[in-house]
Amino acid sequence: MPFPVQFSLSLELAKVFPIREALQSGVEQVVSLVRALKRTGSDFLVEKDLGEIFGRGKIKPSLEKAFRDVVKSGLSQPLHVDSSISLDTGPGATVLRALTDRFYMSSVIQLSFLTWMHEETTLASALVEIMLWRHRSNVPGATPDPDYDGTLKTLQACSSQTSQYRWDDLVRLVEERFPKSSPIFRAERSPLRYLTSNLLLGAMDYFYMAQSLPEDRFILVENQTGLIPIVIWAHHILGLTVLVRNSPDGDVAFGWFGTPQVIIQWSSTFQVDRMEIGGDIDSYLPWESSPTVLLLDANMQLVLKSEPNDDAGAKIEGQECHRLKGYGTTFLRRLFNAKTLLADDDPIYVDTANLAVSFAVALTRVMRRAPITEYDHRVRLEDNYDLPQQCYMNCEPWRLFDSSNLLFWDIKLDKMKIMEYLENLSGKRIDDNMPIPTSVRNHLRSLSRIPGNASEGKVAFFEHLKELASWIVSFAQVVDVGSCADLPLRIAPGWMHCKGVLSWDGLAPIDLEADVWFNLIMKMMRKDTTGGESHVESEGVFLTCHQGWSLFYSSVGDHDPGEIECESLCIKPGVPTNTQTLERKHRIADAPPIWSNQGDRRPKKFPREDSYLPRSVTIVHERKEHYSSRVDEFRLSIRFNIEELEYHTRNYRDPAEQPARYSMYASYAQFHEALWGVVKTMPCPHRGGEDCEPLPLDLDALTARGLTWGNGDGDADQRI
């Protein structure tokens, strides 16, 4: 990456930083460390290469202490009872080494911050290009052959082991210093929230020079691009003094100083001419808006500079994160303050939140699953198949309110108002004639009077409501959603919604795919790197982990299928870890199908007779989970060893006859898909002995839920 410089960076750095020698450890200790890092997904050489750069920084003591206190402890819990996979939180090999070595602790803290603010794949690509450029520029100790895969995995390992640290609190502290500029900070993908490649290059070397030579090195950034990460990195992490000059809020200083060590020059032309709030990222962040970074001496003479360059192929993508708690509240405050400034107690926030909850309730009444027919094909919903009521969601209201209260933290929801809005929604088409709260109507009217502003109107407002309702319904499927308050989510880029919701007219049913809630929450947790909006990262994935949190189907474990709600999900802190090898991966998927030598064999059925004593015929003698490792994931195959008895009549079998023995294989994504197509029978109408007598059964007898006879011989359920 040919970033222009005026003087030799290698000579400048050689004056300040000695080259760190290799580890002075025994061979066995090094080998042991290499293996430990590899098991957690990191890379020994990459960590050393990154440490040579970021380890030079001296971390602000108060932040280092707070960081250590947060990341030093961890917890391990099994994925399910008797599972060989655990969910491990807290320090892995990367952080454990950092806790005993300040050189690596400095590197881990700064990388943890950068992965919180930036999308990992683009950040890794930019780091690789910068390291290559530093080597071509003969920088002492620069890496000659940086590895992209190793860099990405190291960033992911660092992120997953440190995500519990509250970087978002520091982001909020910086934002609060610029109240008059809040629409720019709150804009979707605001360029003030992430670094460009040349900003990252300048920060990676210039910050440490200013820290080591505080009286002789100063940094000037020519506009406000990347303001938030620059202030946090320079001031809150490294303890440098920072001045943002000529902002709409005046000169804003961070830290006590005489002469500031880092000056960010606010450009008014950048704000007016180059930034279109809500537009596509390339429409408001052309390359020329990325500032030049200047390193100056005590006489304000130029020493080095890092300029934007059209040839830089690695664009860094911002990844603004917000915890699940209050996620919806932040979304509303940004939505309504994008073009104007509203008071925090404006009734529009409460009114919109209440209306969004009513939309969520209405959605659950029309959302439905497609069952599997007797021919093992899923019903084609476009054929207007008459689906039974059990296929519709009708999510319990308390789940929706638990989800809503968490998303709209700090907003007091009004259940009476929600029910009133729901009554207005019921049986009505969503269009311009649908009434909306007065506060929203007045806001939309005020927007239409802004010169040059195309009024969004009701249509766009209803789209935002549907998006909010999608989130409410999604997290209503999460078991114990209150325990997920600290789950990091990306601030929505405008398309995080359930398929079919944006086009919903308020009346038609919405047909759900089996992975709908899993995919929606996964997209909110991380960037979809597959290029498809509704595509899971690889076929058969039933668990995905990002920033130290794991999302998986609630069917995981040895459960009774009749007790599982197939829509429900689990979200827990921790990275999937093989308890035998201590290897960590960020996904678990079904292994490819293993076909039994018995073919597509199904559990044996009795021929129909009037009555019989029910007994187990197809018996699972042993159930065993086997996890294997791939580059990026674990693969799971569950083997069921089966013994099948042969009954010649309903109640008789030859005791001398040996049972048939064979194995069947399955896994959890397959299990979830099957459950999604099952239609449960309606609950038995009998109550506690009313109209029926309990029947004592032998130990080897079983009961069946909703037993029916096949072949169309009867249309009534035969209940036992």
Side-chain angles (χ1 to χ4, degrees):
M1 182 162 45
F3 292 97
V5 293
Q6 186 166 343
F7 302 98
S8 171
L9 178 61
S10 61
L11 293 176
E12 182 67 21
L13 290 173
K15 299 175 187 176
V16 182
F17 303 108
I19 300 176
R20 181 179 168 91
E21 296 298 327
L23 289 172
Q24 301 299 314
S25 304
V27 174
E28 289 301 322
Q29 286 181 297
V30 174
V31 171
S32 178
L33 177 59
V34 169
R35 287 176 174 169
L37 290 171
K38 186 176 181 180
R39 284 195 296 266
T40 58
S42 190
D43 185 286
F44 176 82
L45 293 178
V46 171
E47 285 200 10
K48 183 178 182 300
D49 293 339
L50 293 174
E52 294 290 348
I53 299 172
F54 295 99
R56 298 170 297 169
K58 298 173 184 176
I59 304 300
K60 195 174 181 178
S62 58
L63 184 136
E64 181 176 345
K65 181 181 183 304
F67 189 88
R68 284 175 177 272
D69 290 343
V70 170
V71 304
K72 67 183 179 183
S73 58
L75 177 68
S76 179
Q77 56 180 327
L79 181 59
H80 62 83
V81 177
D82 297 328
S83 175
S84 61
I85 296 293
S86 64
L87 299 179
D88 288 3
T89 60
T94 298
V95 172
L96 288 173
R97 174 165 65 159
L99 290 170
T100 61
D101 188 330
R102 285 201 165 187
F103 174 81
Y104 286 108
M105 176 56 75
S106 176
S107 180
V108 164
I109 288 175
Q110 293 171 81
L111 292 175
S112 172
F113 163 68
L114 289 173
T115 55
W116 179 267
M117 299 293 295
H118 304 90
E119 192 276 321
E120 293 163 350
T121 60
T122 57
L123 177 61
S125 181
L127 286 171
V128 168
E129 283 205 32
I130 289 171
M131 287 191 285
L132 281 171
W133 180 87
R134 295 175 86 252
H135 175 67
R136 290 196 297 266
S137 301
N138 297 317
V139 173
T143 306
D145 53 352
D147 171 36
Y148 171 79
D149 287 337
T151 302
L152 176 60
K153 290 181 183 300
T154 297
L155 293 178
Q156 291 174 336
C158 185
S159 172
S160 65
Q161 295 173 38
T162 64
S163 65
Q164 62 269 44
Y165 186 76
R166 304 288 305 211
W167 292 114
D168 44 324
D169 289 344
L170 295 180
V171 173
R172 190 160 48 251
L173 285 176
V174 176
E175 286 183 348
E176 290 172 352
R177 300 292 300 278
F178 300 90
K180 294 181 181 178
S181 307
S182 59
I184 303 173
F185 283 94
R186 293 173 175 178
E188 185 177 297
R189 292 179 175 177
S190 169
L192 277 65
R193 292 184 167 274
Y194 57 93
L195 301 171
T196 58
S197 294
N198 74 297
L199 276 172
L200 179 60
L201 170 65
M204 283 169 59
D205 285 313
Y206 300 177
F207 282 174
Y208 310 134
M209 285 188 255
Q211 191 179 51
S212 298
L213 302 171
E215 303 297 328
D216 194 49
R217 292 294 181 267
F218 303 92
I219 299 165
L220 175 64
V221 183
E222 292 188 337
N223 70 36
Q224 60 268 42
T225 297
L227 184 149
I228 292 177
I230 289 173
V231 171
I232 295 175
W233 194 353
H235 175 66
H236 291 284
I237 296 178
L238 298 177
L240 301 176
T241 54
V242 179
L243 175 66
V244 180
R245 197 160 60 188
N246 298 330
S247 81
D249 298 274
D251 289 354
V252 180
F254 295 86
W256 179 91
F257 55 83
T259 302
Q261 294 168 283
V262 180
I263 299 173
I264 300 172
Q265 180 65 48
W266 189 285
S267 170
S268 59
T269 57
F270 172 93
Q271 176 183 345
V272 174
D273 298 335
R274 298 183 180 180
M275 184 170 175
E276 300 174 9
I277 298 174
D280 181 75
I281 183 172
D282 291 324
S283 70
Y284 61 71
L285 187 59
W287 280 107
E288 61 267 25
S289 71
S290 180
T292 297
V293 186
L294 307 176
L295 182 69
L296 309 173
D297 64 15
N299 298 316
M300 295 294 127
Q301 297 299 307
L302 181 64
V303 178
L304 294 167
K305 65 179 177 180
S306 174
E307 295 179 308
N309 194 303
D310 291 338
D311 295 334
K315 276 191 177 182
I316 305 175
E317 183 175 329
Q319 176 180 266
E320 185 186 357
C321 292
H322 193 291
R323 308 286 174 174
L324 173 57
K325 181 179 178 180
Y327 184 89
T329 303
T330 296
F331 176 84
L332 290 180
R333 297 200 187 283
R334 294 192 176 189
L335 174 65
F336 294 123
N337 287 277
K339 306 291 176 65
T340 59
L341 289 179
L342 301 179
D344 286 347
D345 59 352
D346 193 293
I348 195 171
Y349 302 118
V350 177
D351 292 341
T352 306
N354 287 330
L355 190 55
V357 179
S358 69
F359 264 63
V361 177
L363 279 172
T364 62
R365 295 178 177 179
V366 298
M367 288 177 163
R368 61 185 188 179
R369 295 179 290 111
I372 296 176
T373 68
E374 63 264 29
Y375 303 107
D376 290 343
H377 296 300
R378 200 171 293 284
V379 168
R380 293 194 307 165
L381 295 167
E382 61 268 23
D383 293 340
N384 297 317
Y385 202 95
D386 187 18
L387 298 182
Q389 188 60 38
Q390 302 95 295
C391 291
Y392 287 80
M393 281 191 63
N394 286 318
C395 183
E396 295 96 327
W398 66 267
R399 292 186 180 275
L400 293 170
F401 282 112
D402 281 356
S403 173
S404 303
N405 286 326
L406 194 57
L407 282 163
F408 297 119
W409 196 261
D410 296 332
I411 293 179
K412 188 175 181 180
L413 299 174
D414 186 338
K415 290 187 178 182
M416 294 296 293
K417 206 68 176 176
I418 292 170
M419 298 312 295
E420 179 185 327
Y421 290 149
L422 185 61
E423 183 67 26
N424 292 333
L425 278 171
S426 299
K428 296 182 178 65
R429 190 174 298 278
I430 299 175
D431 54 27
D432 282 343
N433 296 321
M434 178 166 284
I436 58 177
T438 303
S439 60
V440 177
R441 186 168 59 252
N442 292 339
H443 178 73
L444 295 179
R445 189 179 295 123
S446 69
L447 287 181
S448 66
R449 292 195 292 265
I450 298 177
N453 179 62
S455 175
E456 290 187 343
K458 280 187 178 181
V459 174
F461 175 70
F462 287 142
E463 287 184 354
H464 291 309
L465 282 176
K466 293 173 184 177
E467 189 174 17
L468 285 164
S470 287
W471 304 342
I472 293 170
V473 178
S474 296
F475 286 101
Q477 313 311 312
V478 176
V479 177
D480 190 19
V481 69
S483 65
C484 307
D486 287 335
L487 172 70
L489 300 172
R490 292 190 302 139
I491 292 293
W495 47 262
M496 291 181 177
H497 52 80
C498 169
K499 183 179 179 181
V501 167
L502 285 191
S503 60
W504 181 53
D505 62 0
L507 301 174
I510 298 175
D511 304 322
L512 302 177
E513 298 176 356
D515 55 4
V516 56
W517 309 124
F518 185 91
N519 273 346
L520 179 55
I521 296 178
M522 181 185 70
K523 287 189 293 185
M524 297 178 76
M525 291 173 63
R526 66 183 304 167
K527 176 187 176 184
D528 180 14
T529 57
T530 61
E533 288 189 7
S534 62
H535 181 66
V536 179
E537 293 157 298
S538 65
E539 186 177 356
V541 170
F542 62 84
L543 183 150
T544 185
C545 177
H546 187 59
Q547 291 185 308
W549 286 78
S550 291
L551 163 71
F552 55 97
Y553 294 121
S554 62
S555 56
V556 171
D558 190 7
H559 300 298
D560 179 351
E563 301 296 334
I564 296 174
E565 293 294 335
C566 61
E567 294 96 346
S568 64
L569 300 167
C570 292
I571 301 177
K572 294 183 179 180
V575 182
T577 305
N578 189 316
T579 57
Q580 298 173 357
T581 65
L582 300 183
E583 188 177 18
R584 291 186 177 188
K585 301 290 184 182
H586 289 85
R587 291 197 304 268
I588 310 181
D590 287 2
I594 300 175
W595 300 107
S596 167
N597 56 8
Q598 298 290 324
D600 188 17
R601 185 162 181 167
R602 307 293 179 89
K604 184 177 286 295
K605 300 178 182 178
F606 281 123
R608 180 174 178 178
E609 294 182 12
D610 292 336
S611 64
Y612 74 102
L613 183 63
R615 298 177 183 277
S616 297
V617 177
T618 303
I619 304 170
V620 176
H621 180 69
E622 183 184 30
R623 177 187 184 276
K624 188 172 183 179
E625 294 185 355
H626 175 72
Y627 288 91
S628 58
S629 296
R630 297 295 187 272
V631 174
D632 296 316
E633 64 190 16
F634 292 123
R635 294 284 183 89
L636 170 66
S637 179
I638 308 175
R639 185 180 69 196
F640 298 89
N641 292 332
I642 295 171
E643 292 186 355
E644 194 166 81
L645 306 178
E646 184 67 37
Y647 275 75
H648 300 284
T649 66
R650 279 288 177 182
N651 297 312
Y652 172 75
R653 66 175 294 270
D654 184 354
E657 188 173 351
Q658 293 296 316
R661 292 181 173 88
Y662 60 96
S663 296
M664 296 180 67
Y665 299 86
S667 192
Y668 291 125
Q670 176 191 0
F671 184 30
H672 172 78
E673 178 75 20
L675 286 175
W676 196 262
V678 169
V679 181
K680 291 185 179 180
T681 59
M682 298 299 289
C684 179
H686 300 131
R687 297 177 177 229
E690 178 185 327
D691 299 327
C692 64
E693 292 294 331
L695 176 66
L697 300 176
D698 294 339
L699 291 178
D700 63 344
L702 59 87
T703 61
R705 178 185 282 105
L707 182 66
T708 59
W709 303 112
N711 303 322
D713 293 343
D715 55 7
D717 288 352
Q718 310 297 314
R719 299 187 182 276
I720 301 174

